[in-house]
Amino acid sequence: MRLDAMYQEIILDHYRNPHNKGLRDPHNAEAHHINPTCGDEITLRVTLEPAGGDGGRLDGSAVVRDVSYDSMGCSISQASASVLTDLLIGRSVDDGLRTLDAFTVLMHSKGQGEPDEDVLEDAVAFAGVSKYPARIKCALLAWMAWKDATAQSLEKEKEGAS
């Protein structure tokens, strides 16, 4: 099987069988993002907890305990949200941000990037999407919503501490 065909299968599988879809409580923050170019929408919730679960502060070492979402749109935006949840749940915020950075670099590679499968896992399937500028926003929609919700959650923590 060609690599492109395998990547298409990964995207279609996540589209048909989305992981962690459906908004869940409790959550620390929620973000709603829209891609006005094509009409994709996502509402994403993030639940963070202090590293070690010891009631400490939320910071970059905090663990992404849950990510849930409700969305509508194309197969690329839907599959990307599903892959995001698989990659980020259980990891630290700092690890999540590094993964986001790697995915963003891949999306802006214009099909020339060499994605790190150890970091991106199933997200490498979106390498072909980077060849189509109009589709990059679709793939990044959930990731930007996660970044926004995570930033809101960390900001709430700072405000509560002051």
Side-chain angles (χ1 to χ4, degrees), residues 71-90:
S71 60
M72 57 184 249
C74 69
S75 59
I76 292 170
S77 70
Q78 303 294 298
S80 186
S82 177
V83 168
L84 173 145
T85 66
D86 286 351
L87 283 172
L88 301 185
I89 293 174

Side-chain angles (χ1 to χ4, degrees), residues 101-161:
D101 288 345
F103 189 71
T104 302
V105 167
L106 175 64
M107 287 298 92
H108 293 290
S109 71
K110 298 180 181 174
Q112 304 302 311
E114 287 296 322
D116 185 341
E117 290 185 45
D118 291 335
V119 174
L120 292 174
E121 300 175 23
D122 275 358
V124 299
F126 295 89
V129 173
S130 70
K131 297 175 192 172
Y132 306 98
R135 306 311 301 228
I136 293 169
K137 287 183 181 179
C138 302
L140 285 171
L141 185 67
W143 294 83
M144 296 301 105
W146 176 80
K147 182 179 179 181
D148 186 18
T150 299
Q152 287 177 41
S153 185
L154 295 174
E155 189 61 32
K156 283 181 194 175
E157 174 74 16
K158 283 182 192 174
E159 290 171 4

